[in-house]
Amino acid sequence: MTSPDNSAGTPSTPRLRASLETFPPYVPGKEPKRIDGLTPFKLSSNENYLEPLPAVIDAMAAHAKDPALYPDDAALALRTELAARLGVSIDELIVTTGASELLVALTQITSDATTEAIYPWPSFEMYPQTTGLAGAKRVEVPVRDDGRHDLDAMAAAITDNTSLIILCSPNNPTGPALRDDEVRRFLTQVPDHVLVALDEAYWEFATAEGVVGGVELVADHPNVVLVRTFSKAHALAGLRVGYALAHEAVIQGLFKAVIPFGVTDMSQAAAQESLRHSDEVDVRAKEIASVRDDFAHALRDQGWDVPEAQGNFVWLPLGELSSAFEDACVEQAVAVRNLGDGVRISIGQREGLDRVLALASVFRSEHFG
Ligand SMILES: *Cc1c(COP(=O)(O)O)cnc(C)c1O
């Protein structure tokens, strides 16, 4: 068999979309380095350091024989449970393979090479990926020095081509949560045809006064989509279940953009069972929040400038010292997330956090005298 003549003599690369050159790939959190005598801690992915609740593990086991069949594509049982708990109709809900698939689908239904997407920065690393892949112009609005969204600047960035705005509360990685009054004021400046996604991946950990309530916001605004996940507070990151709440027209659009049968029966059953134990999930989330507050407080006592932390993580805006700090953690068998502008530390077991506090103190005296 002869291969087609390639005049240069070297195999040619397929022509991929030019938009792929405009954004970096998603980089997952690293594993901790193994060091003799030190228990390793992975504080780099904002996972829940607790296991799923026992009843949830039982529910998964009960579905262990399901995989020969396709799952329920409509996720009817899970959506029914969610609808009852949120006080909404199931037609306002869609279940997806993690909130990640939702972010892709939201971009697919709003964005192309003629549109613009606005989101805060630094924020979740998937926003540049999904909007960039769609070919949209990415308008990254820097967060303020205190890590909060600059909503005035975001409103000012809206043009006739804006089709999607993403808000993240609490903001990953900087930490602060949006307040209800500021978001409602912001929405008065957003044209009705612009879709606003409110990413509440960490809402269960938020404890501040007046934090934005996505469910009520959606009821009042047909252009708002609430994005949530079972990955963080429910400790089900490995099962890939997320959901959106929005008005029916938006949900119907999303149904066309998601992959059929994405969420397995086992994942749906686990999420449903975990929802039934929402009280326990909430207690555990608030315990993590309390450890987070202690940790942030201890860092501030050392002199660090730590923004309001409302998720299950704390942000150190280290700038150029980010890599040096990450390296110091690596050598203590702790993996943290270096995002270039700073380092994000997920809340984990006290032993790991105490180790970070000890090295942070040494780091300060070495670099700030
Ligand atoms: C973790 C995270 C998600 C999505 O996680 P999934 O595991 O895909 O549900 C979405 N948004 C933010 C801000 C996150 O941190």
Side-chain angles (χ1 to χ4, degrees), residues 97-100 103 124 127 168 172 199 201-202 229 231-232 240-241:
T97 52
S100 297
L103 293 169
F124 188 38
Y127 305 157
C168 187
N172 173 13
D199 186 341
Y202 301 95
T229 180
S231 293
K232 310 288 166 48
R240 318 302 305 125
V241 194

Side-chain angles (χ1 to χ4, degrees), residues 24-291:
Y26 185 86
V27 181
K30 292 177 187 153
E31 292 295 323
K33 183 173 164 182
R34 303 278 148 177
I35 293 175
D36 276 350
L38 283 180
T39 309
F41 291 100
K42 182 169 186 263
L43 309 181
S44 56
S45 289
N46 286 353
E47 291 148 330
N48 198 319
Y49 67 89
L50 301 169
E51 288 175 354
L53 293 168
V56 174
I57 296 171
D58 290 346
M60 288 169 64
H63 286 266
K65 290 184 179 168
D66 290 359
L69 305 179
Y70 283 110
D72 173 14
D73 184 45
L76 216 51
L78 176 53
R79 279 163 69 222
T80 302
E81 184 85 33
L82 273 168
R85 291 189 170 268
L86 299 175
V88 301
S89 143
I90 67 163
D91 298 329
E92 297 171 299
L93 290 164
I94 184 169
V95 169
T96 54
T97 52
S100 297
E101 185 187 23
L102 207 46
L103 293 169
V104 176
L106 279 168
T107 320
Q108 291 292 312
I109 66 168
T110 55
S111 304
D112 61 30
T114 69
T115 65
E116 301 179 11
I118 301 171
Y119 52 84
W121 200 256
S123 193
F124 188 38
E125 285 174 289
M126 272 198 76
Y127 305 157
Q129 185 186 7
T130 62
T131 54
L133 188 57
K137 179 178 170 195
R138 298 184 287 121
V139 182
E140 299 185 341
V141 177
V143 299
R144 302 183 338 198
D145 285 346
D146 58 4
R148 308 188 67 85
H149 289 43
D150 190 340
L151 291 173
D152 290 337
M154 292 181 79
I158 297 171
T159 73
D160 287 348
N161 296 328
T162 304
S163 65
L164 174 67
I165 299 174
I166 310 175
L167 307 177
C168 187
S169 176
N171 188 45
N172 173 13
T174 60
L178 290 163
R179 301 302 193 269
D180 209 57
D181 52 356
E182 63 178 345
V183 176
R184 287 181 184 272
R185 202 176 325 119
F186 173 72
L187 288 172
T188 64
Q189 299 167 267
V190 179
D192 292 342
H193 63 266
V194 175
L195 199 70
V196 178
L198 174 62
D199 186 341
E200 283 194 339
Y202 301 95
W203 71 278
E204 295 97 331
F205 302 107
T207 50
E209 234 8 75
V211 167
V212 62
V215 177
E216 296 74 29
L217 210 62
V218 171
D220 296 342
H221 294 274
N223 62 331
V224 173
V225 183
L226 186 61
V227 175
R228 287 185 172 176
T229 180
F230 286 89
S231 293
K232 310 288 166 48
H234 287 271
L236 295 174
L239 292 188
R240 318 302 305 125
V241 194
Y243 67 93
L245 170 69
H247 283 244
E248 199 178 334
V250 177
I251 295 297
Q252 282 172 3
L254 287 169
F255 264 110
K256 290 185 176 175
V258 296
I259 296 169
F261 307 117
V263 187
T264 67
D265 268 340
M266 187 189 271
S267 298
Q268 294 181 30
Q272 192 183 346
E273 190 64 28
S274 201
L275 266 184
R276 290 184 178 143
H277 296 268
S278 290
D279 291 352
E280 278 169 82
V281 169
D282 193 54
V283 167
R284 300 202 319 178
K286 295 305 183 282
E287 280 167 7
I288 289 171
S290 149
V291 175

